[in-house]
Amino acid sequence: DNFLYLGLANGIGAGIVIDGRLYTGSRGFSGEIGHLSIDLNGPLCSCGNRGCLETYVNMPVIRQHLAATAKQGSVEPADFETLYADPACAAVFDDVADKLAVALTGAVNLLDPRCILIGHDGTWLPDGCLTRLETAVNRHILAGATRAVTVRRSAFGSRAPLLGSVCPLCRELFSGSAIQS
């Protein structure tokens, strides 16, 4: 009933589900976790702030760092698990997990979800990266000694944006509020 969905693609967004309902905020703009600053002196983000999470961790940046580290022209997400076996590439994934953990620890302390689902292209992140992320979040959350937050891949993968966009319409249809009498 209470979880965070982290969509990792060209940017990073979060779906926040509280008591089984999607939290949209007062203007429908909640979940912009990619624009949480994890370093106030960091690089300038497209939003105008500095050190936003998505300036460090988004799929193009991850792929670029891996390609440079592995000395390859390009890297596809399907190669991530294989690349993780290379210690230099594993260090790139460790950095990804550590940076995600900074933002997600704050989100967990604020919202108290039971689970974090990693989706969109983030489903390609290696098992070791997700394990490191889960360990780091649980090590730093306030109630870490009494409970644990699980980090799992979304079963929807890259189809999540499409499926997620249909859910509000379905809710309106099935509640009867989309039908005029």
Side-chain angles (χ1 to χ4, degrees):
D1 285 349
N2 296 291
F3 67 92
L4 292 176
Y5 174 89
L6 185 78
L8 178 59
N10 289 340
I12 303 173
I16 303 165
V17 175
I18 300 172
D19 294 330
R21 297 190 53 88
L22 180 65
Y23 177 75
T24 58
S26 61
R27 286 167 270 179
F29 205 63
S30 69
E32 283 295 328
I33 197 166
H35 292 288
L36 287 177
S37 179
I38 61 169
D39 179 0
L40 296 174
N41 298 311
L44 186 64
C45 181
S46 62
C47 74
N49 290 325
R50 293 201 164 272
C52 290
L53 178 64
E54 70 180 47
T55 62
Y56 297 101
V57 181
N58 66 50
M59 201 49 66
V61 168
I62 294 168
R63 291 174 63 194
Q64 179 183 6
H65 286 158
L66 286 169
T69 302
K71 296 175 180 43
Q72 297 180 9
S74 66
V75 168
E76 295 301 318
D79 301 325
F80 284 5
E81 194 68 49
T82 303
L83 288 169
Y84 191 71
D86 174 354
C89 290
V92 171
F93 287 114
D94 289 349
D95 186 58
V96 167
D98 294 346
K99 285 181 170 52
L100 286 172
V102 171
L104 288 171
T105 297
V108 168
N109 285 338
L110 183 65
L111 300 168
D112 193 28
R114 295 176 62 94
C115 180
I116 299 169
L117 296 175
I118 307 295
H120 290 52
D121 294 335
T123 58
W124 292 101
L125 291 175
D127 292 340
C129 182
L130 296 182
T131 299
R132 183 179 179 102
L133 175 59
E134 181 178 270
T135 300
V137 168
N138 284 308
R139 183 176 44 240
H140 296 290
I141 59 174
L142 291 175
T146 59
R147 66 174 174 83
V149 175
T150 58
V151 175
R152 300 287 179 259
R153 283 184 186 84
S154 166
F156 298 131
S158 60
R159 299 175 311 163
L162 173 64
L163 297 172
S165 67
V166 172
C167 290
L169 175 61
C170 290
R171 183 178 40 218
E172 294 293 315
L173 280 172
F174 294 126
S175 71
S177 59
I179 302 170
Q180 294 183 348
S181 359

